[in-house]
Amino acid sequence: GESVGLHLPTLSVQEGDNSIINCAYSNSASDYFIWYKQESGKGPQFIIDIRSNMDKRQGQRVTVLLNKTVKHLSLQIAATQPGDSAVYFCAETAKLAQKLVFGQGTRLTINP
Amino acid sequence: DAGVTQSPTHLIKTRGQQVTLRCSPISGHKSVSWYQQVLGQGPQFIFQYYEKEERGRGNFPDRFSARQFPNYSSELNVNALLLGDSALYLCASSSTPGGYETQYFGPGTRLLVL
């Protein structure tokens, strides 16, 4: 479904710890998933993507896991840094679709 | 390399007025999409354009319209503004529409309707 809700879930972690942000997607026909990071006053910034023919994809300090059985996506950030503080959105789409459908978003706060 | 650029950065309008927002895609990208992001929510799809043609439209009223120019830049127009149109308007570009092409977002235009 479409992004809903006025109250963003918040995740607080200690600097240096690993963060895991979860997302449930809605459309079983979606076959392409993207994580975006949005800092205050800025547009969403691409972090990492994954296609439905994969279960896991790694980038620099980030890993995305996809579980199609339960329609669940997660973003793991290793050794969290203060610059990681932002709102993180998952987005889903399909190969023949025109639009991204965004999840609710999670606010990640890093404690020193 | 320049990313997606949008203008203006901020805009204040009153109810009933009309507004035009502008977007320049990443060089080489031919597809532009527009999203509306209300405070506290994720972006909502408004339009997608490719090669000057509308390829997709979200669940927005006819007060919203857009177009794409031969240089692939785009404009979003909103007529008869309502208070609820206050939001961050985001433009995203990709090399082609659909497929597995990543959409890259601009910084947005923040519109406040009084």
Side-chain angles (χ1 to χ4, degrees):
Chain A
E2 304 291 338
S3 175
V4 296
L6 297 175
H7 305 289
L8 288 174
T10 299
L11 174 65
S12 294
V13 299
Q14 293 295 122
E15 183 178 350
D17 286 353
N18 297 332
S19 302
I20 299 176
I21 300 171
N22 296 303
C23 174
Y25 65 92
S26 59
N27 189 348
S28 56
S30 294
D31 60 3
Y32 181 48
F33 306 89
I34 310 102
W35 280 99
Y36 286 94
K37 170 187 179 183
Q38 188 172 28
E39 298 174 279
S40 181
K42 297 184 179 180
Q45 175 189 355
F46 171 85
I47 302 174
I48 192 169
D49 59 359
I50 188 169
R51 298 186 188 181
S52 61
N53 61 351
M54 303 173 68
D55 297 322
K56 178 180 179 179
R57 192 169 187 215
Q58 289 183 293
Q60 186 177 12
R61 281 202 309 120
V62 295
T63 301
V64 55
L65 299 178
L66 175 62
N67 185 330
K68 295 180 288 294
T69 302
V70 295
K71 294 192 288 186
H72 182 268
L73 199 65
S74 69
L75 176 70
Q76 300 177 5
I77 305 174
T80 315
Q81 303 170 358
D84 295 329
S85 293
V87 176
Y88 289 81
F89 291 99
C90 65
E92 61 182 290
T93 189
K95 185 176 182 180
L96 299 180
Q98 288 78 37
K99 65 178 182 179
L100 294 172
V101 176
F102 282 80
Q104 184 179 17
T106 297
R107 183 178 303 280
L108 177 65
T109 302
I110 312 302
N111 301 316
Chain B
D1 289 339
V4 177
T5 59
Q6 293 186 243
S7 63
T9 56
H10 295 81
L11 205 51
I12 299 175
K13 293 286 188 179
T14 57
R15 281 177 296 175
Q17 285 189 311
Q18 175 264 343
V19 68
T20 298
L21 311 180
R22 296 175 176 82
C23 169
S24 291
I26 292 171
S27 178
H29 284 189
K30 299 181 178 180
S31 180
V32 169
S33 298
W34 287 94
Y35 291 80
Q36 180 196 64
Q37 186 176 25
V38 175
L39 191 63
Q41 298 186 19
Q44 299 276 341
F45 173 75
I46 309 175
F47 285 111
Q48 184 182 72
Y49 275 78
Y50 176 65
E51 296 281 11
K52 298 183 292 180
E53 291 188 0
E54 182 182 304
R55 286 298 191 95
R57 183 185 183 114
N59 187 25
F60 281 81
D62 291 343
R63 299 184 296 107
F64 289 77
S65 63
R67 56 179 176 169
Q68 186 178 33
F69 299 98
N71 66 352
Y72 305 112
S73 66
S74 178
E75 286 183 352
L76 175 70
N77 295 284
V78 186
N79 294 321
L81 285 167
L82 304 174
L83 296 180
D85 295 331
S86 295
L88 181 67
Y89 287 85
L90 295 162
C91 173
S93 78
S94 59
S95 54
T96 57
Y100 300 120
E101 296 295 328
T102 301
Q103 294 189 29
Y104 295 92
F105 285 83
T109 293
R110 187 163 296 282
L111 172 65
L112 177 61
V113 182
L114 302 176

